[in-house]
Amino acid sequence: MITFPCAKINLGLNIVGQRPNGYHDLETVFYPVPLCDALEIKYMGEEFPSEVNCDLKVTGNVVNCNEADNLVIKAYNLLAKDYKLPRVHAHLYKQIPSEAGLGGGSSDAAYMIRLLDERFRLNIGKAEMERYAARLGADCAFFISSEPSFATGIGDELMPADGPKGNLDGYHLAIVKPNIAVSTKEAYANISPHKPEKCCRDIVRQPIETWKDELINDFEEPIFNRHPDLAAIKKQLYQLGAVYAAMSGSGSSLFGLFKEEPCHLNTAFANCFTFTAKL
Ligand SMILES: C[C@@](CO)(OP(=O)(O)O)[C@H](O)COP(=O)(O)OP(=O)(O)OC[C@H]1O[C@@H](n2ccc(N)nc2=O)[C@H](O)[C@@H]1O
Ligand SMILES: Nc1ncnc2c1ncn2[C@@H]1O[C@H](COP(=O)(O)OP(=O)(O)O)[C@@H](O)[C@H]1O
């Protein structure tokens, strides 16, 4: 059985507080985008000599961690504590760039939970799957439904975000990921939490033309200061005609929303990964 874990972008991201354990409370609108990995599971025969009950083959982009640390394996092992799961081979075809603020690893984890639930008829239920997912990463729960969501807490408390769906239908999305790595942990360490004047959930209900002046990703300022090339890409997206452009999550990818399909992205952003799709 095969599934296609999607990426996300953040429409606004405000870091509003910090917890005693160091984690941050945030407000953001997660929006699913059609840039996907592929994840397949197959039965592992009884005769197959394996020390583990789930092994993983990764093709496509390189994922910079051991098999045991891959979130696909962690998702299997988490469910295996509570459910009797058959042994499986997993195959991940990686297309979503890593350390991009696109949530690729989190999505793989959540889609593995969904895949195991469906394939082996575990009947876990959406709310419980979201709880399992949140144990693997702060923004994993969103990918259980992958519906536009307003997220609070550490990114794990979700409500449907009605605004952007209608607003963005028919717009063209461009994602640009330069060869710059930003660690999420480090990104959070450079933030002073504060409440925004206006909540991103309300701003995304307004016409998209107003987003440029009002919708903020709090990570941009400190990260742009250290990586001016990222600020330059955002500026270039506006020069190419974006109605709204921003960094996604803790970076390092930038995205633009366009009324018309943007042309010549590969030339404009040579040496970067680029992706376009009509929403
Ligand atoms: C910043 C966001 C915004 O959507 O996305 P990405 O840029 O990673 O895609 C998320 O909050 C990323 O969530 P996620 O990627 O699941 O983070 P985790 O792996 O759980 O945490 C990595 C590290 O980030 C910090 N962290 C994470 C989430 C949070 N609400 N507060 C934090 O302080 C912690 O130091 C943690 O050890
Ligand atoms: N299936 C996976 N895909 C990508 N990264 C993974 C995966 N499993 C574990 N990781 C680890 O998680 C780290 C961050 O995940 P990633 O999805 O790239 O972050 P981001 O949400 O910032 O884009 C990676 O650098 C990698 O070490």
Side-chain angles (χ1 to χ4, degrees), residues 35-50:
L35 165 59
C36 299
D37 291 336
L39 177 63
E40 186 178 30
I41 53 171
K42 282 183 180 162
Y43 270 112
M44 191 192 278
E46 284 305 318
E47 71 292 350
F48 189 82
S50 170

Side-chain angles (χ1 to χ4, degrees), residues 8 10 22-24 26 30 101 103 137-139 154 184-185 188 249-250:
K8 58 86 181 156
N10 297 79
Y23 267 69
H24 293 78
L26 53 86
F30 287 127
D139 65 2
I154 58 166
T184 304
K185 207 182 177 96
Y188 273 108
S250 56

Side-chain angles (χ1 to χ4, degrees), residues 189-208:
N190 289 303
I191 289 279
S192 309
H194 63 280
K195 265 287 209 198
E197 265 174 45
K198 207 189 230 182
C199 179
C200 55
R201 177 185 42 184
D202 299 326
I203 300 170
V204 298
R205 289 188 182 127
Q206 300 172 182
I208 185 170

